Amino acid sequence: MPPQHGSRRARIAFSDSAAKQLENITSEAEIHALDRALVVISVDPDIGEPIPADTAGPQLRQYADEVERVRLLYWVTALRTVVICGSDLVLVV
């Protein structure tokens, strides 16, 4: 019998502005906090709370981790890719 695997993790992608923000992160604590939040979202993209918006664009979601003091704004594509919004990526470390 083949081994049973859990569900597949979502792929994480960054907008251009989010990628630019990542270049400015130098603190190990910030990198660790961001990494943990990204893992949570990749395992369960629906974990974040929906942010009310018009229905023309993608549904923005917000995930906040009070312990790590990270807040991410993102949307999930039809293929379950999580796209992190750069201008709204907030690290409060």
Side-chain angles (χ1 to χ4, degrees):
M1 183 171 186
Q4 297 281 337
H5 295 286
S7 61
R8 213 173 62 141
R9 286 187 181 187
R11 183 174 162 255
I12 301 287
F14 297 91
S15 68
D16 290 341
S17 57
K20 188 169 276 196
Q21 284 181 315
L22 291 175
E23 293 173 4
N24 296 325
I25 297 175
T26 58
S27 160
E28 284 290 321
E30 288 177 336
I31 292 169
H32 176 75
L34 177 60
D35 188 50
R36 287 180 50 99
L38 292 173
V39 167
V40 169
I41 292 172
S42 74
V43 171
D44 183 6
D46 298 321
I47 195 167
E49 296 187 20
I51 296 173
D54 80 36
T55 57
Q59 173 68 62
L60 287 176
R61 303 184 74 80
Q62 171 180 271
Y63 171 73
D65 183 329
E66 300 301 323
V67 173
E68 294 290 343
R69 300 179 65 190
V70 173
R71 183 172 62 98
L72 298 173
L73 278 79
Y74 64 97
W75 74 87
V76 181
T77 70
L79 297 176
R80 306 236 349 127
T81 297
V82 175
V83 179
I84 307 298
C85 303
S87 62
D88 294 322
L89 176 79
V90 179
L91 291 174
V92 191
V93 177

Coordinates of all heavy atoms in Angstrom, one line a residue:
M1 N 0.9 -1.2 0.0 CA 0.0 0.0 0.0 C 0.9 1.2 0.0 O 1.8 1.3 0.8 CB -0.9 0.0 1.2 CG -1.9 1.1 1.3 SD -2.9 0.6 2.7 CE -4.1 1.9 2.6
P2 N 0.7 2.2 -0.9 CA 1.5 3.4 -1.0 C 1.3 4.3 0.3 O 0.2 4.3 0.9 CB 1.1 4.1 -2.2 CG -0.2 3.6 -2.6 CD -0.3 2.2 -1.9
P3 N 2.4 5.0 0.7 CA 2.2 5.9 1.8 C 1.2 7.0 1.6 O 1.1 7.5 0.5 CB 3.6 6.5 2.0 CG 4.3 6.3 0.8 CD 3.7 5.1 0.1
Q4 N 0.5 7.3 2.6 CA -0.5 8.4 2.6 C 0.2 9.7 2.9 O 1.0 9.8 3.8 CB -1.6 8.2 3.6 CG -2.4 7.0 3.4 CD -3.5 7.2 2.4 OE1 -3.9 8.3 2.1 NE2 -3.9 6.1 1.8
H5 N 0.0 10.7 2.0 CA 0.5 12.0 2.2 C -0.6 13.0 2.5 O -1.7 12.9 2.1 CB 1.3 12.5 1.0 CG 2.5 11.7 0.7 ND1 3.6 11.7 1.4 CD2 2.7 10.7 -0.3 CE1 4.5 10.9 0.9 NE2 3.9 10.2 -0.2
G6 N -0.2 14.0 3.3 CA -1.2 15.1 3.6 C -1.4 15.9 2.4 O -0.9 15.7 1.3
S7 N -2.3 16.9 2.5 CA -2.6 17.7 1.4 C -1.4 18.5 1.0 O -0.5 18.8 1.9 CB -3.8 18.6 1.7 OG -3.5 19.5 2.8
R8 N -1.3 18.9 -0.2 CA -0.2 19.7 -0.7 C -0.2 21.1 -0.2 O -1.2 21.7 -0.1 CB -0.3 19.7 -2.2 CG 1.0 19.7 -3.0 CD 0.7 19.5 -4.4 NE -0.1 20.7 -4.9 CZ 0.0 21.2 -6.1 NH1 0.9 20.8 -6.9 NH2 -0.7 22.3 -6.4
R9 N 1.0 21.6 0.1 CA 1.1 23.0 0.5 C 0.9 24.0 -0.7 O 1.2 23.6 -1.8 CB 2.5 23.3 1.1 CG 2.7 22.8 2.4 CD 4.0 23.2 3.0 NE 4.2 22.7 4.3 CZ 5.2 23.0 5.1 NH1 6.1 23.9 4.7 NH2 5.3 22.5 6.3
A10 N 0.3 25.1 -0.4 CA 0.2 26.1 -1.4 C 1.5 26.7 -1.8 O 2.4 26.8 -1.0 CB -0.8 27.2 -0.9
R11 N 1.6 27.1 -3.0 CA 2.8 27.8 -3.5 C 2.8 29.2 -3.1 O 1.7 29.9 -3.1 CB 2.9 27.7 -5.0 CG 4.1 28.3 -5.6 CD 4.1 28.0 -7.1 NE 5.0 28.9 -7.8 CZ 4.7 30.0 -8.5 NH1 3.4 30.2 -8.7 NH2 5.6 30.8 -9.0
I12 N 3.9 29.8 -2.6 CA 3.9 31.2 -2.2 C 4.6 32.0 -3.3 O 5.7 31.6 -3.8 CB 4.7 31.4 -0.9 CG1 4.1 30.6 0.3 CG2 4.8 32.8 -0.5 CD1 2.8 31.1 0.8
A13 N 4.0 33.1 -3.7 CA 4.6 34.0 -4.6 C 4.6 35.4 -4.0 O 3.8 35.7 -3.2 CB 3.9 34.0 -6.0
F14 N 5.5 36.3 -4.5 CA 5.6 37.6 -4.0 C 5.4 38.6 -5.1 O 5.9 38.4 -6.2 CB 6.9 37.9 -3.3 CG 7.2 37.1 -2.1 CD1 7.8 35.9 -2.2 CD2 6.7 37.5 -0.9 CE1 8.0 35.0 -1.1 CE2 7.0 36.7 0.3 CZ 7.6 35.5 0.1
S15 N 4.6 39.7 -4.8 CA 4.5 40.7 -5.8 C 5.9 41.4 -5.9 O 6.7 41.2 -5.1 CB 3.4 41.8 -5.4 OG 3.9 42.4 -4.2
D16 N 6.0 42.2 -6.9 CA 7.3 42.9 -7.1 C 7.7 43.8 -5.9 O 8.8 43.8 -5.4 CB 7.3 43.8 -8.3 CG 7.3 43.0 -9.6 OD1 7.7 41.8 -9.6 OD2 6.9 43.6 -10.7
S17 N 6.7 44.5 -5.3 CA 7.0 45.3 -4.2 C 7.3 44.5 -2.9 O 8.1 44.9 -2.1 CB 5.9 46.3 -3.9 OG 4.6 45.7 -3.8
A18 N 6.6 43.3 -2.8 CA 6.9 42.5 -1.7 C 8.3 41.9 -1.8 O 9.1 41.8 -0.8 CB 5.9 41.3 -1.6
A19 N 8.7 41.5 -3.0 CA 10.1 41.0 -3.2 C 11.1 42.1 -2.8 O 12.2 41.8 -2.2 CB 10.3 40.6 -4.6
K20 N 10.8 43.3 -3.2 CA 11.7 44.4 -2.9 C 11.8 44.6 -1.3 O 12.9 44.9 -0.8 CB 11.2 45.7 -3.5 CG 12.2 46.9 -3.4 CD 11.8 48.0 -4.2 CE 12.4 47.7 -5.6 NZ 12.4 48.8 -6.5
Q21 N 10.7 44.5 -0.6 CA 10.7 44.6 0.8 C 11.6 43.4 1.4 O 12.3 43.7 2.4 CB 9.3 44.5 1.4 CG 8.5 45.7 1.3 CD 7.1 45.6 1.9 OE1 6.5 44.6 1.7 NE2 6.7 46.6 2.6
L22 N 11.5 42.3 0.8 CA 12.3 41.1 1.4 C 13.8 41.4 1.3 O 14.5 41.0 2.1 CB 12.0 39.8 0.6 CG 10.6 39.3 0.8 CD1 10.4 38.1 -0.1 CD2 10.4 38.9 2.2
E23 N 14.2 42.2 0.3 CA 15.6 42.5 0.1 C 16.1 43.3 1.3 O 17.3 43.3 1.6 CB 15.8 43.3 -1.2 CG 15.6 42.4 -2.4 CD 15.7 43.3 -3.7 OE1 16.0 44.5 -3.6 OE2 15.5 42.7 -4.8
N24 N 15.2 44.1 2.0 CA 15.6 45.0 3.0 C 15.6 44.3 4.4 O 15.9 44.9 5.4 CB 14.7 46.2 3.1 CG 14.8 47.0 1.8 OD1 15.9 47.1 1.3 ND2 13.7 47.6 1.3
I25 N 15.1 43.0 4.5 CA 15.1 42.3 5.8 C 16.5 41.8 6.0 O 17.0 41.0 5.3 CB 14.0 41.2 5.8 CG1 12.7 41.8 5.6 CG2 14.1 40.4 7.1 CD1 11.6 40.8 5.5
T26 N 17.1 42.2 7.1 CA 18.4 41.7 7.5 C 18.5 41.0 8.8 O 19.3 40.2 9.1 CB 19.4 42.8 7.5 OG1 19.0 43.8 8.4 CG2 19.6 43.4 6.1
S27 N 17.5 41.3 9.7 CA 17.4 40.7 11.0 C 17.0 39.2 11.0 O 16.0 38.9 10.3 CB 16.5 41.5 11.9 OG 16.0 40.7 13.0
E28 N 17.8 38.4 11.7 CA 17.4 37.0 11.8 C 16.0 36.8 12.4 O 15.3 35.9 12.0 CB 18.4 36.2 12.6 CG 19.7 35.9 11.9 CD 19.6 34.9 10.8 OE1 18.8 33.9 11.0 OE2 20.2 35.1 9.7
A29 N 15.7 37.6 13.4 CA 14.4 37.5 14.0 C 13.3 37.8 13.0 O 12.2 37.1 13.0 CB 14.3 38.5 15.2
E30 N 13.4 38.8 12.2 CA 12.4 39.2 11.2 C 12.3 38.1 10.2 O 11.2 37.7 9.8 CB 12.8 40.5 10.5 CG 12.6 41.7 11.4 CD 13.0 43.0 10.7 OE1 13.8 42.9 9.7 OE2 12.5 44.0 11.0
I31 N 13.4 37.5 9.7 CA 13.4 36.4 8.7 C 12.6 35.2 9.3 O 11.8 34.6 8.7 CB 14.8 36.1 8.3 CG1 15.4 37.2 7.5 CG2 14.8 34.8 7.5 CD1 16.9 37.1 7.2
H32 N 13.0 34.9 10.6 CA 12.3 33.7 11.3 C 10.8 34.0 11.4 O 10.0 33.1 11.1 CB 13.0 33.5 12.6 CG 12.3 32.5 13.4 ND1 12.5 31.1 13.2 CD2 11.5 32.5 14.5 CE1 11.8 30.4 14.0 NE2 11.2 31.3 14.8
A33 N 10.4 35.2 11.8 CA 9.0 35.5 12.0 C 8.3 35.4 10.7 O 7.2 34.8 10.6 CB 8.9 36.9 12.6
L34 N 8.8 36.0 9.6 CA 8.2 35.9 8.3 C 8.1 34.5 7.8 O 7.1 34.1 7.3 CB 9.0 36.8 7.3 CG 8.4 36.8 5.9 CD1 7.0 37.3 5.9 CD2 9.3 37.6 5.0
D35 N 9.2 33.7 8.0 CA 9.2 32.3 7.5 C 8.1 31.5 8.2 O 7.4 30.7 7.5 CB 10.5 31.7 7.8 CG 10.7 30.3 7.2 OD1 10.4 30.2 6.0 OD2 11.1 29.4 7.9
R36 N 7.9 31.7 9.5 CA 6.9 30.9 10.2 C 5.5 31.3 9.7 O 4.6 30.4 9.5 CB 7.0 31.2 11.7 CG 8.2 30.5 12.4 CD 8.3 30.7 13.9 NE 7.0 30.5 14.6 CZ 6.7 29.4 15.2 NH1 7.6 28.4 15.3 NH2 5.6 29.3 15.8
A37 N 5.2 32.6 9.5 CA 3.9 33.0 9.0 C 3.7 32.5 7.6 O 2.6 32.0 7.3 CB 3.9 34.6 9.0
L38 N 4.7 32.4 6.7 CA 4.5 31.9 5.4 C 4.2 30.4 5.4 O 3.4 29.9 4.6 CB 5.8 32.2 4.6 CG 6.0 33.7 4.2 CD1 7.4 33.8 3.6 CD2 4.9 34.2 3.4
V39 N 4.8 29.7 6.3 CA 4.5 28.3 6.5 C 3.1 28.1 6.8 O 2.4 27.2 6.3 CB 5.5 27.6 7.5 CG1 5.0 26.2 7.8 CG2 6.9 27.5 6.9
V40 N 2.6 28.8 7.8 CA 1.2 28.7 8.2 C 0.3 28.9 7.0 O -0.7 28.2 6.8 CB 0.9 29.7 9.4 CG1 -0.6 29.8 9.7 CG2 1.7 29.3 10.6
I41 N 0.5 30.0 6.3 CA -0.3 30.3 5.1 C -0.2 29.3 4.1 O -1.2 28.9 3.4 CB 0.0 31.7 4.6 CG1 -0.4 32.8 5.6 CG2 -0.7 32.0 3.3 CD1 0.0 34.2 5.3
S42 N 1.0 28.7 3.8 CA 1.1 27.7 2.8 C 0.4 26.4 3.2 O -0.1 25.7 2.3 CB 2.6 27.4 2.5 OG 3.2 26.6 3.6
V43 N 0.3 26.1 4.4 CA -0.4 24.9 4.9 C -2.0 25.1 4.8 O -2.7 24.2 4.4 CB 0.0 24.5 6.3 CG1 -0.9 23.4 6.9 CG2 1.4 24.1 6.3
D44 N -2.4 26.3 5.1 CA -3.8 26.6 5.1 C -4.1 28.0 4.6 O -4.2 29.0 5.4 CB -4.4 26.5 6.5 CG -5.9 26.7 6.6 OD1 -6.6 26.8 5.5 OD2 -6.5 26.7 7.7
P45 N -4.2 28.2 3.3 CA -4.3 29.6 2.7 C -5.6 30.3 3.2 O -5.7 31.5 3.1 CB -4.4 29.3 1.2 CG -3.7 28.0 1.0 CD -4.0 27.2 2.2
D46 N -6.6 29.5 3.6 CA -7.8 30.2 4.1 C -7.8 30.6 5.5 O -8.8 31.1 6.0 CB -9.0 29.2 3.8 CG -9.2 28.8 2.4 OD1 -9.0 29.7 1.5 OD2 -9.5 27.7 2.1
I47 N -6.7 30.5 6.2 CA -6.6 30.8 7.6 C -6.8 32.3 7.9 O -7.3 32.7 8.9 CB -5.3 30.3 8.2 CG1 -5.3 30.3 9.7 CG2 -4.1 31.1 7.7 CD1 -4.2 29.6 10.4
G48 N -6.3 33.1 6.9 CA -6.5 34.6 7.1 C -7.9 35.0 7.0 O -8.8 34.4 6.4
E49 N -8.2 36.2 7.6 CA -9.5 36.7 7.6 C -9.7 37.5 6.3 O -8.8 38.3 5.9 CB -9.8 37.6 8.8 CG -9.7 36.8 10.1 CD -10.1 37.7 11.3 OE1 -10.8 38.7 11.1 OE2 -9.8 37.3 12.4
P50 N -10.9 37.4 5.6 CA -11.1 38.2 4.4 C -11.2 39.7 4.8 O -11.7 40.1 5.8 CB -12.5 37.7 3.9 CG -12.7 36.4 4.7 CD -12.0 36.5 5.9
I51 N -10.7 40.5 3.9 CA -10.8 41.9 4.0 C -11.9 42.4 3.0 O -11.8 42.1 1.8 CB -9.4 42.6 3.6 CG1 -8.4 42.1 4.6 CG2 -9.6 44.1 3.6 CD1 -7.0 42.6 4.3
P52 N -12.9 43.1 3.6 CA -13.9 43.5 2.7 C -13.4 44.4 1.5 O -12.6 45.3 1.7 CB -14.9 44.3 3.6 CG -14.5 43.9 5.0 CD -13.1 43.5 4.9
A53 N -13.9 44.1 0.3 CA -13.5 44.9 -0.9 C -14.5 44.6 -1.9 O -15.4 43.8 -1.7 CB -12.1 44.4 -1.4
D54 N -14.4 45.3 -3.0 CA -15.3 45.1 -4.1 C -15.0 43.7 -4.7 O -13.9 43.2 -4.6 CB -15.4 46.2 -5.1 CG -14.2 46.2 -6.1 OD1 -13.8 45.1 -6.5 OD2 -13.8 47.2 -6.5
T55 N -16.0 43.2 -5.4 CA -15.8 41.8 -5.9 C -15.1 41.7 -7.3 O -15.0 40.6 -7.8 CB -17.2 41.1 -6.0 OG1 -18.1 41.9 -6.8 CG2 -17.8 40.9 -4.6
A56 N -14.7 42.8 -7.8 CA -14.1 42.8 -9.1 C -12.7 42.2 -9.1 O -12.2 41.6 -10.0 CB -14.0 44.3 -9.7
G57 N -11.9 42.4 -8.0 CA -10.6 41.9 -7.9 C -10.5 40.7 -7.0 O -11.5 40.1 -6.6
P58 N -9.3 40.2 -6.8 CA -9.1 39.0 -5.9 C -9.5 39.4 -4.5 O -9.4 40.5 -4.0 CB -7.7 38.7 -6.0 CG -7.0 40.0 -6.5 CD -8.0 40.7 -7.3
Q59 N -10.0 38.4 -3.7 CA -10.3 38.6 -2.3 C -9.1 38.7 -1.5 O -8.4 37.7 -1.3 CB -11.2 37.4 -1.9 CG -11.5 37.4 -0.4 CD -12.4 38.5 0.0 OE1 -13.5 38.6 -0.4 NE2 -11.9 39.4 0.9
L60 N -8.8 39.8 -1.0 CA -7.7 40.0 -0.1 C -8.0 39.4 1.3 O -9.1 39.4 1.8 CB -7.4 41.5 0.1 CG -6.7 42.2 -1.1 CD1 -6.6 43.7 -0.8 CD2 -5.4 41.6 -1.4
R61 N -6.9 38.8 1.9 CA -7.0 38.2 3.2 C -5.9 38.8 4.0 O -4.9 39.2 3.5 CB -6.9 36.7 3.1 CG -7.9 36.0 2.2 CD -7.9 34.5 2.2 NE -8.4 34.0 3.4 CZ -9.7 33.8 3.7 NH1 -10.6 34.2 2.8 NH2 -10.1 33.3 4.8
Q62 N -6.1 38.7 5.3 CA -5.1 39.2 6.3 C -4.8 38.1 7.3 O -5.7 37.5 7.9 CB -5.6 40.4 7.0 CG -4.7 40.8 8.2 CD -5.2 42.0 8.9 OE1 -4.8 43.1 8.5 NE2 -6.0 41.8 9.9
Y63 N -3.6 37.8 7.5 CA -3.2 36.8 8.5 C -2.3 37.5 9.5 O -1.3 38.2 9.1 CB -2.4 35.6 7.9 CG -1.8 34.7 8.9 CD1 -2.6 33.9 9.7 CD2 -0.4 34.8 9.2 CE1 -2.1 33.1 10.7 CE2 0.1 34.0 10.2 CZ -0.7 33.2 11.0 OH -0.2 32.4 12.0
A64 N -2.6 37.5 10.7 CA -1.9 38.1 11.8 C -1.4 37.1 12.8 O -2.2 36.3 13.3 CB -2.7 39.2 12.4
D65 N -0.1 37.1 13.1 CA 0.4 36.2 14.1 C 0.9 37.2 15.3 O 1.9 37.8 15.1 CB 1.6 35.4 13.6 CG 2.2 34.5 14.6 OD1 2.1 34.7 15.8 OD2 2.7 33.4 14.2
E66 N 0.1 37.2 16.3 CA 0.4 38.1 17.4 C 1.7 37.7 18.2 O 2.4 38.5 18.7 CB -0.7 38.2 18.4 CG -2.0 38.7 17.8 CD -1.9 40.1 17.2 OE1 -1.2 40.9 17.8 OE2 -2.5 40.3 16.1
V67 N 2.0 36.4 18.2 CA 3.2 35.9 18.9 C 4.5 36.4 18.2 O 5.4 36.9 18.7 CB 3.2 34.4 19.1 CG1 4.5 33.9 19.6 CG2 2.0 33.9 19.9
E68 N 4.5 36.1 16.8 CA 5.6 36.5 16.0 C 5.6 38.0 15.6 O 6.5 38.5 15.1 CB 5.7 35.7 14.8 CG 6.0 34.2 15.1 CD 7.4 34.0 15.6 OE1 8.3 34.8 15.4 OE2 7.6 32.9 16.1
R69 N 4.4 38.6 15.9 CA 4.2 40.1 15.5 C 4.4 40.3 14.0 O 5.1 41.2 13.6 CB 5.1 40.9 16.4 CG 4.8 40.7 17.9 CD 5.7 41.6 18.7 NE 5.4 43.0 18.5 CZ 6.1 44.0 18.9 NH1 7.2 43.7 19.7 NH2 5.8 45.2 18.7
V70 N 3.7 39.5 13.3 CA 3.7 39.6 11.8 C 2.3 39.7 11.3 O 1.4 39.1 11.8 CB 4.4 38.4 11.2 CG1 4.3 38.4 9.7 CG2 5.8 38.3 11.6
R71 N 2.1 40.6 10.3 CA 0.8 40.7 9.6 C 1.1 40.6 8.1 O 1.9 41.4 7.6 CB 0.1 42.0 10.0 CG -1.3 42.1 9.3 CD -2.1 43.3 9.9 NE -1.4 44.5 9.5 CZ -1.7 45.3 8.5 NH1 -2.7 44.9 7.7 NH2 -1.1 46.4 8.2
L72 N 0.4 39.7 7.4 CA 0.5 39.5 6.0 C -0.8 39.8 5.3 O -1.8 39.3 5.8 CB 1.0 38.1 5.6 CG 2.4 37.7 6.2 CD1 2.6 36.2 5.9 CD2 3.5 38.6 5.6
L73 N -0.8 40.5 4.2 CA -1.9 40.6 3.4 C -1.6 39.9 2.1 O -0.5 40.0 1.5 CB -2.2 42.1 3.1 CG -3.0 42.8 4.2 CD1 -2.1 43.1 5.4 CD2 -3.7 44.0 3.7
Y74 N -2.6 39.1 1.6 CA -2.4 38.3 0.5 C -3.7 37.9 -0.2 O -4.8 38.2 0.3 CB -1.7 37.0 0.9 CG -2.5 36.1 1.9 CD1 -3.2 35.0 1.4 CD2 -2.5 36.4 3.2 CE1 -3.9 34.2 2.2 CE2 -3.3 35.6 4.1 CZ -4.0 34.5 3.6 OH -4.7 33.8 4.4
W75 N -3.6 37.3 -1.3 CA -4.8 36.7 -2.0 C -4.3 35.3 -2.5 O -3.2 35.0 -2.6 CB -5.4 37.6 -3.1 CG -4.6 37.6 -4.4 CD1 -4.7 36.8 -5.4 CD2 -3.7 38.6 -4.7 NE1 -3.9 37.2 -6.4 CE2 -3.2 38.3 -6.0 CE3 -3.1 39.7 -4.1 CZ2 -2.3 39.1 -6.7 CZ3 -2.2 40.5 -4.8 CH2 -1.8 40.2 -6.0
V76 N -5.4 34.5 -2.7 CA -5.1 33.1 -3.2 C -5.7 33.0 -4.6 O -6.8 33.3 -4.8 CB -5.8 32.1 -2.2 CG1 -5.5 30.7 -2.7 CG2 -5.3 32.3 -0.8
T77 N -4.9 32.5 -5.5 CA -5.3 32.3 -6.9 C -6.2 31.1 -7.0 O -6.2 30.3 -6.1 CB -4.1 32.2 -7.9 OG1 -3.4 31.0 -7.6 CG2 -3.1 33.4 -7.7
A78 N -6.8 30.9 -8.2 CA -7.6 29.7 -8.5 C -6.8 28.5 -8.4 O -7.3 27.4 -8.0 CB -8.2 29.9 -9.9
L79 N -5.5 28.5 -8.6 CA -4.6 27.4 -8.5 C -4.0 27.2 -7.1 O -3.0 26.5 -7.0 CB -3.5 27.4 -9.6 CG -4.0 27.4 -11.0 CD1 -2.9 27.5 -12.0 CD2 -4.8 26.1 -11.3
R80 N -4.5 27.9 -6.2 CA -4.1 27.9 -4.8 C -2.6 28.4 -4.6 O -1.9 27.9 -3.7 CB -4.2 26.5 -4.2 CG -5.6 26.0 -4.3 CD -6.5 25.6 -3.2 NE -6.0 25.4 -1.9 CZ -6.5 26.0 -0.8 NH1 -7.5 26.8 -1.0 NH2 -6.1 25.8 0.4
T81 N -2.2 29.4 -5.4 CA -1.0 30.0 -5.1 C -1.3 31.2 -4.2 O -2.2 32.0 -4.5 CB -0.3 30.5 -6.5 OG1 0.0 29.4 -7.3 CG2 0.9 31.4 -6.2
V82 N -0.5 31.4 -3.2 CA -0.7 32.5 -2.3 C 0.2 33.6 -2.8 O 1.4 33.5 -2.9 CB -0.3 32.1 -0.8 CG1 -0.4 33.3 0.1 CG2 -1.3 31.0 -0.3
V83 N -0.4 34.8 -3.1 CA 0.4 35.9 -3.5 C 0.4 37.0 -2.4 O -0.6 37.5 -2.0 CB -0.2 36.6 -4.8 CG1 0.6 37.8 -5.3 CG2 -0.3 35.5 -5.9
I84 N 1.6 37.2 -1.9 CA 1.8 38.2 -0.8 C 1.9 39.6 -1.5 O 2.6 39.8 -2.4 CB 3.1 37.9 -0.1 CG1 3.2 36.5 0.4 CG2 3.3 38.9 1.1 CD1 2.1 36.0 1.4
C85 N 1.1 40.5 -0.9 CA 1.0 41.9 -1.4 C 2.2 42.6 -0.8 O 2.3 42.7 0.4 CB -0.3 42.5 -1.0 SG -1.7 41.7 -1.6
G86 N 3.0 43.2 -1.6 CA 4.2 43.9 -1.1 C 3.9 45.1 -0.3 O 4.4 45.3 0.8
S87 N 3.0 46.0 -0.7 CA 2.8 47.3 0.0 C 2.2 47.1 1.3 O 2.2 48.0 2.1 CB 2.1 48.2 -0.9 OG 0.8 47.7 -1.2
D88 N 1.5 45.9 1.5 CA 0.8 45.7 2.8 C 1.5 44.7 3.7 O 0.9 44.2 4.6 CB -0.6 45.3 2.5 CG -1.4 46.4 1.8 OD1 -1.2 47.6 2.2 OD2 -2.1 46.1 0.9
L89 N 2.7 44.3 3.3 CA 3.4 43.3 4.1 C 4.0 44.1 5.3 O 4.7 45.0 5.1 CB 4.6 42.7 3.3 CG 5.5 41.7 4.1 CD1 4.8 40.4 4.3 CD2 6.8 41.6 3.4
V90 N 3.6 43.7 6.5 CA 4.0 44.5 7.7 C 4.7 43.5 8.7 O 4.1 42.6 9.1 CB 2.8 45.1 8.4 CG1 3.3 45.9 9.6 CG2 2.1 46.1 7.4
L91 N 6.0 43.8 9.0 CA 6.7 43.1 10.0 C 6.8 44.1 11.2 O 7.4 45.2 11.0 CB 8.1 42.7 9.5 CG 8.1 41.7 8.5 CD1 9.5 41.5 8.0 CD2 7.6 40.4 9.0
V92 N 6.3 43.7 12.3 CA 6.4 44.6 13.5 C 7.3 43.9 14.5 O 6.8 43.3 15.5 CB 5.0 44.8 14.1 CG1 5.0 45.9 15.1 CG2 4.0 45.1 13.0
V93 N 8.5 43.9 14.3 CA 9.5 43.2 15.2 C 10.3 44.2 15.9 O 10.7 45.2 15.4 CB 10.4 42.3 14.3 CG1 11.4 41.6 15.2 CG2 9.6 41.2 13.6

